[in-house]
C-alpha cells in the first residue's frame, strides 16, 4: 500500500496537505484510453468557453490550470514557499524595493520559433496593463490599477536583462511572476492575434511551455502535444528535455459524477474537482490528492453598498444566525474544514489563528441585533419587517452551482428563515452574473479565490479592488492593505494582515464558510505526478506505464 502526501513546511500542520487514500499493491491498473503516451484528464472547465482562455484577462483558476502547460514563468515557487530560477536565471531587488531586475535565459524559444528575451517580457507586461486587454487579476498581480496603481513600467536593459519599476515598494511581485497569469505569449501572437487570445486555440495560445496547444474544441476538449524543443525546466526539476507524455487531452466534463465515471471506467486517467461525497466511490485503485487551498476561503460577501447589509447589525446577525460548523461537517464529510478567517490557514505568513472558535452560532444574539435595528414586526409568512418592508436579501450566483455549494445554500436559507430573515437565491448564466456583479446589484454573493500571497485581500477589500464584492470602502482597510504590500518584512506583513482579519471579524463584510480543498484522483498508470501550491497537477515530470 502506498500513500501520497503533498506537504509544505510553512503550512500549519493541522490543516496542511493531506493524502486521503491509498494505492493497493497488486490492484489492476486503468490503462490510458488510446496509446500509452496519451493521457486524458477530466476537468470541470465550464468557465473556459466564452472568452476565458487568455491567461492575462481571465481571473478563473481553470484558465491557469489548463494553460500552465503552455506557459512558463520567470521564477518557480517551491513547496516550501521559496523561489528558484525558471526563465530568469537570477534576479535582484533594489534596496528601496522599487526595482526588480531579472537576468533571463538566452536559450528559450516560443512555440512559433520566436526568441524569449527582454523585449518579450516587456511586450507581455505592457499587454497585461493595456486597457483593451481588460485584465483584472493579472493586472492586480502586476500592481496596476486604472485608478492609480504602483506599476511604473518595464525597461529593456539589454537583450536578456529586464527591469520592472514601481512607484512604491511592492513585496508580492516575485510571487506574482511565479504564476501562469503573468506568463508570456509570443510577441508575434501579441502583435497579430491579440484580439483572439480570449478565445484561445492553436496558433493563438503560443507560449514557451513544455506542451503546445494543438487542438481546442470549446466545451469539449483541449489537446496539448509535447514540445520536443523544451529544455528549460525550473531549477531542481527531476526531468530534463521534452516531456515524457506525448499528448495531454483535457476533457471538459462540468458534472462531477461524469468526471468520476470517466476516471473509474478508464476513459480518463486523472480527474479533478472531485466532490467530497464521491471520494469514497472511487475505490482503492486510485490515488487521491487532497490539498488545502491557500488564499481566500469559500466566503459569502455581504454587499454593504446595497440593501439590508448596509446595517452592521444585520451583517452580524447574518453571520451569527447560520450554524456553519455542523453544515460543513455534514456536507464535506471530513474532506474540508470550517473557515474562521478571510484567509485560509494554508496562506503563508499571514493567517490569524486567534480567530478560531471566536464566533459561534447564536440565534438569540442574532435576534437581538435585528430587534435593535428595528426589524421587529412579522409578516404572514413569519419574516421580519420594518416599515412594511420584509427583511430579505438576494443571493446572486452563476450556474452551474456545485452540489456542496447548493447544500450550503440550503442551510443558510433554512437557518436564517428561523430568525425571520429571507434569503432569495438566484442562479444565473455567467454573463448575466457579471452584469449584476459589475453594477453591485445584489445583496449577497459567494466564491473562493486561491492565492499563495495574502495580498489576495487587496482585490477583495480595498476600495479599488476589482473583486470587492462587499463594496467595502474604509480608509483604515485601504491603509492596512497598502502598508502590507509596501513592506518586505514577513513579521510586519503578518501583523498587518492579522489586523485586516480582525477588522472583518468585527465589521463582517465577508463571512468565511469553509476552507476549500483541491481533490484530484488519478490512476496508478501515472508516475512522478507533481502538484503545485494550489493543488493543480503538473505533468512535465510525469510518465505513463501500464504496469503500476
Amino acid at each position: 500500500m502506498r500513500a501520497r502526501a503533498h506537504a509544505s513546511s510553512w503550512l500549519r500542520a493541522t490543516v496542511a496537505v493531506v493524502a486521503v487514500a491509498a494505492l493497493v499493491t497488486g490492484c489492476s491498473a486503468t490503462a490510458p484510453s488510446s496509446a500509452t503516451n496519451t493521457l486524458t484528464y477530466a476537468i470541470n472547465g465550464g468557465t473556459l468557453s466564452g472568452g476565458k482562455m487568455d491567461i492575462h484577462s481571465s481571473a478563473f483558476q481553470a484558465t491557469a490550470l489548463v494553460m500552465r502547460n503552455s506557459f512558463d514563468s520567470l521564477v518557480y515557487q517551491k513547496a516550501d514557499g521559496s523561489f528558484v530560477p525558471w526563465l530568469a536565471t537570477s534576479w535582484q531587488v533594489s534596496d528601496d524595493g522599487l526595482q526588480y531586475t531579472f537576468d533571463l535565459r538566452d536559450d528559450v524559444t516560443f512555440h512559433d520559433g520566436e526568441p524569449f528575451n527582454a523585449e518579450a517580457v516587456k511586450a507581455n507586461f505592457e499587454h497585461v496593463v493595456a486597457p483593451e486587454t481588460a485584465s483584472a487579476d493579472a493586472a492586480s498581480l502586476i500592481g496596476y490599477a486604472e485608478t492609480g496603481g504602483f506599476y511604473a513600467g518595464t525597461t529593456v536593459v539589454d537583450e536578456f536583462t529586464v527591469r520592472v519599476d514601481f512607484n512604491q515598494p511592492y513585496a508580492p511581485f516575485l510571487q506574482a511572476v511565479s504564476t501562469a497569469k503573468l506568463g508570456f505569449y509570443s510577441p508575434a501572437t501579441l502583435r497579430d492575434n491579440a484580439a483572439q487570445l480570449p478565445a484561445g486555440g492553436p496558433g493563438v495560445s503560443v507560449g514557451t511551455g513544455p506542451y503546445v496547444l494543438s487542438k481546442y474544441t470549446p466545451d469539449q476538449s483541449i489537446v496539448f502535444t509535447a514540445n520536443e524543443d523544451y529544455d528549460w525546466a525550473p531549477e531542481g526539476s527531476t526531468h530534463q528535455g521534452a516531456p515524457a507524455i506525448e499528448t495531454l487531452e483535457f476533457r471538459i466534463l462540468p458534472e462531477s459524477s461524469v468526471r468520476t465515471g470517466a476516471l473509474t471506467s478508464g476513459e480518463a486517467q486523472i480527474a479533478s474537482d472531485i466532490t467530497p461525497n464521491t471520494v469514497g466511490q472511487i475505490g482503492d485503485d486510485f490515488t487521491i490528492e487532497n490539498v488545502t487551498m491557500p488564499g481566500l476561503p469559500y466566503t459569502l460577501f455581504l454587499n454593504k453598498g446595497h440593501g439590508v447589509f448596509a446595517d452592521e447589525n444585520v451583517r452580524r446577525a447574518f453571520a451569527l444566525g447560520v450554524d456553519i460548523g455542523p453544515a460543513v461537517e455534514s456536507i464535506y464529510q471530513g474532506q474540508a474544514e470550517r473557515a474562521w478567517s478571510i484567509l485560509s490557514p494554508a496562506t503563508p505568513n499571514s493567517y490569524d489563528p486567534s480567530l478560531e472558535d471566536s464566533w459561534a452560532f447564536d440565534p438569540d444574539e442574532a435576534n437581538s441585533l435585528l430587534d435593535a435595528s428595528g426589524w421587529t414586526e412579522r409578516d404572514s409568512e413569519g419574516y421580519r419587517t420594518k416599515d412594511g418592508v420584509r427583511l430579505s436579501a438576494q443571493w446572486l450566483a452563476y450556474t452551474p452551482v456545485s452540489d456542496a455549494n447548493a447544500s450550503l445554500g440550503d442551510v443558510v436559507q433554512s437557518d436564517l428563515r428561523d430568525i425571520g430573515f429571507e434569503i432569495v437565491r438566484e442562479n444565473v448564466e455567467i454573463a448575466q452574473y457579471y452584469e449584476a456583479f459589475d453594477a453591485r446589484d445584489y445583496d449577497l454573493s459567494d466564491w473562493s479565490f486561491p492565492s499563495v500571497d495574502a495580498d489576495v485581500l487587496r482585490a477583495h477589500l480595498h476600495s479599488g479592488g476589482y473583486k470587492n464584492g462587499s463594496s467595502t470602502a474604509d480608509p483604515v482597510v485601504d491603509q492596512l492593505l497598502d502598508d502590507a504590500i509596501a513592506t518586505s518584512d514577513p513579521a510586519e506583513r503578518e501583523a498587518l494582515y492579522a489586523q485586516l482579519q480582525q477588522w472583518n471579524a468585527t465589521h463582517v463584510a465577508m463571512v468565511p464558510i469553509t476552507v476549500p480543498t483541491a481533490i484530484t484522483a488519478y490512476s496508478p498508470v501515472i508516475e512522478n505526478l507533481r502538484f503545485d501550491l494550489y493543488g493543480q497537477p503538473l505533468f512535465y515530470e510525469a510518465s505513463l506505464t501500464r504496469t503500476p
Side-chain angles (χ1 to χ4, degrees):
M1 179 174 289
R2 184 185 67 179
R4 180 181 177 83
H6 179 76
S8 302
S9 60
W10 40 261
L11 303 183
R12 296 178 68 250
T14 56
V15 293
V17 176
V18 178
V20 296
L23 176 64
V24 179
T25 301
C27 65
S28 60
T30 305
S33 57
S34 53
T36 55
N37 240 344
T38 296
L39 180 147
T40 300
Y41 181 13
I43 65 170
N44 183 327
T47 55
L48 290 174
S49 61
K52 302 301 180 186
M53 291 283 282
D54 177 15
I55 55 173
H56 290 169
S57 64
S58 172
F60 286 104
Q61 189 65 12
T63 308
L65 161 70
V66 171
M67 304 307 272
R68 170 53 93 191
N69 295 284
S70 282
F71 291 90
D72 299 327
S73 297
L74 286 178
V75 301
Y76 180 82
Q77 189 169 23
K78 298 171 62 178
D80 64 0
S82 64
F83 300 96
V84 295
W86 196 348
L87 295 183
T89 58
S90 63
W91 53 90
Q92 304 85 44
V93 183
S94 63
D95 291 340
D96 58 10
L98 298 178
Q99 295 181 334
Y100 286 70
T101 302
F102 297 92
D103 301 310
L104 308 177
R105 294 185 66 123
D106 60 5
D107 58 349
V108 177
T109 56
F110 288 93
H111 300 158
D112 59 4
E114 283 216 43
F116 171 78
N117 53 27
E119 291 285 358
V121 174
K122 178 179 173 64
N124 275 268
F125 288 171
E126 289 180 348
H127 178 255
V128 170
V129 302
E132 55 269 27
T133 302
S135 177
D137 192 33
S140 180
L141 286 170
I142 207 173
Y144 172 81
E146 289 185 27
T147 54
F150 27 87
Y151 171 76
T154 301
T155 300
V156 174
V157 178
D158 60 39
E159 184 174 5
F160 296 108
T161 306
V162 65
R163 188 185 73 237
V164 182
D165 295 292
F166 298 95
N167 54 33
Q168 72 166 59
Y170 180 39
F173 187 58
L174 204 57
Q175 198 283 321
V177 295
S178 75
T179 67
K181 293 176 181 177
L182 288 184
F184 303 99
Y185 285 102
S186 156
T189 291
L190 293 178
R191 183 184 63 240
D192 301 333
N193 297 313
Q196 303 304 315
L197 297 181
V204 174
S205 305
V206 179
T208 63
Y211 285 95
V212 179
L213 198 161
S214 55
K215 183 178 180 182
Y216 175 38
T217 307
D219 298 319
Q220 296 184 34
S221 69
I222 307 167
V223 178
F224 293 90
T225 305
N227 177 4
E228 295 300 329
D229 296 327
Y230 193 78
D231 198 22
W232 42 85
E235 182 178 283
S237 173
T238 60
H239 178 76
Q240 299 296 323
I245 299 175
E246 295 175 356
T247 305
L248 299 176
E249 179 184 9
F250 285 65
R251 196 167 297 172
I252 299 170
L253 303 172
E255 294 295 330
S256 174
S257 60
V258 178
R259 291 194 299 277
T260 304
L263 178 73
T264 55
S265 69
E267 294 181 18
Q269 291 73 55
I270 179 169
S272 62
D273 289 329
I274 301 296
T275 57
N277 61 348
T278 60
V279 167
Q281 302 171 16
I282 291 175
D284 292 339
D285 287 357
F286 300 90
T287 297
I288 295 177
E289 195 86 6
N290 184 345
V291 175
T292 301
M293 301 284 282
L296 185 81
Y298 175 67
T299 297
L300 306 184
F301 291 79
L302 311 185
N303 188 359
K304 300 162 59 179
H306 185 273
V308 297
F309 289 129
D311 185 338
E312 185 171 304
N313 276 353
V314 176
R315 299 198 303 274
R316 292 174 60 200
F318 178 97
L320 296 172
V322 181
D323 200 0
I324 298 173
V328 170
E329 288 178 14
S330 172
I331 294 168
Y332 290 92
Q333 302 178 21
Q335 301 295 323
E337 65 178 279
R338 175 184 174 172
W340 295 98
S341 164
I342 53 175
L343 285 176
S344 160
T347 315
N349 303 322
S350 55
Y351 177 65
D352 182 359
S354 72
L355 289 173
E356 294 177 4
D357 299 319
S358 63
W359 51 289
F361 178 52
D362 191 343
D364 292 339
E365 177 63 14
N367 276 311
S368 296
L369 289 165
L370 295 177
D371 288 343
S373 284
W375 297 96
T376 53
E377 304 297 323
R378 298 272 183 165
D379 64 17
S380 60
E381 296 182 50
Y383 289 110
R384 290 173 175 270
T385 63
K386 181 169 69 173
D387 300 329
V389 177
R390 175 181 286 185
L391 177 60
S392 179
Q394 174 214 22
W395 183 338
L396 179 70
Y398 61 81
T399 57
V401 176
S402 71
D403 293 343
N405 287 1
S407 297
L408 279 167
D410 291 342
V411 172
V412 171
Q413 210 166 23
S414 175
D415 285 354
L416 292 180
R417 171 74 176 81
D418 291 342
I419 61 171
F421 196 156
E422 181 188 49
I423 301 298
V424 180
R425 293 155 69 188
E426 184 178 8
N427 302 326
V428 299
E429 296 297 322
I430 195 165
Q432 186 180 353
Y433 173 88
Y434 274 107
E435 184 177 348
F437 177 80
D438 290 344
R440 298 299 190 268
D441 185 18
Y442 60 89
D443 297 309
L444 165 67
S445 193
D446 60 303
W447 61 83
S448 61
F449 204 97
S451 174
V452 178
D453 198 295
D455 185 45
V456 67
L457 293 182
R458 183 164 50 90
H460 291 88
L461 273 178
H462 198 286
S463 56
Y466 78 95
K467 292 286 285 184
N468 184 356
S470 59
S471 301
T472 295
D474 187 320
V476 173
V477 171
D478 287 354
Q479 191 62 56
L480 288 170
L481 290 164
D482 291 343
D483 290 346
I485 59 172
T487 178
S488 57
D489 184 300
E492 188 175 343
R493 290 193 80 204
E494 185 171 359
L496 291 165
Y497 286 121
Q499 291 183 60
L500 285 160
Q501 292 165 80
Q502 294 286 346
W503 177 91
N504 186 73
T506 300
H507 299 288
V508 197
M510 300 141 71
V511 180
I513 300 294
T514 186
V515 180
T517 57
I519 305 178
T520 303
Y522 61 96
S523 161
V525 299
I526 306 176
E527 293 188 328
N528 302 319
L529 187 64
R530 295 180 61 187
F531 290 78
D532 66 14
L533 295 172
Y534 302 95
Q536 309 292 0
L538 301 171
F539 296 103
Y540 171 66
E541 296 175 68
S543 59
L544 294 173
T545 176
R546 286 183 178 274
T547 307

